[in-house]
Amino acid sequence: MKKRLSGSLAADLTFELITHRFTKRAKNNILALYPNSRLLLDEGVRSFKFGQFGYGKYIYGKEVRQDIKDFMAGELLRHFPTAEIEYFV
């Protein structure tokens, strides 16, 4: 990917990192459309968090989120050393 970007574009990149999260409704929709999905939708291994609009969602636990953030930040630094991470959720 990096090889395809011109010098000025590659030097001025920002990233927004968003981990997978789901609501009960989204889980039901996913499973209705993709009953054999391998997507991890087990509420028992997720943390529950209320969103900004008042509904709850299931997110990865704190340790898993930190592992994801560390891995992604390392990969981005390796491939795009001047890029910034705008936010991680």
Side-chain angles (χ1 to χ4, degrees):
M1 176 66 97
K2 180 181 173 183
K3 293 177 184 175
R4 294 181 189 168
L5 298 174
S6 70
S8 63
L9 287 176
D12 192 30
L13 287 177
T14 60
F15 289 89
E16 300 172 354
L17 303 177
I18 304 169
T19 60
H20 179 258
R21 65 261 176 134
F22 63 90
T23 62
K24 284 190 179 282
R25 181 178 176 196
K27 175 183 176 175
N28 292 336
N29 289 340
I30 292 166
L31 293 177
L33 292 169
Y34 307 101
N36 296 319
S37 174
R38 296 185 344 192
L39 187 60
L40 180 61
L41 297 169
D42 181 0
E43 293 96 338
V45 297
R46 298 285 187 113
S47 297
F48 187 79
K49 177 182 178 182
F50 280 99
Q52 68 187 46
F53 301 109
Y55 60 88
K57 56 189 167 186
Y58 292 92
I59 62 174
Y60 289 113
K62 186 176 182 178
E63 288 182 15
V64 173
R65 285 194 319 271
Q66 188 62 53
D67 288 346
I68 294 168
K69 183 177 183 179
D70 292 344
F71 174 79
M72 293 302 297
E75 289 299 299
L76 291 173
L77 179 62
R78 185 164 68 97
H79 294 286
F80 305 100
T82 60
E84 291 186 35
I85 298 173
E86 290 287 324
Y87 64 86
F88 175 86
V89 292

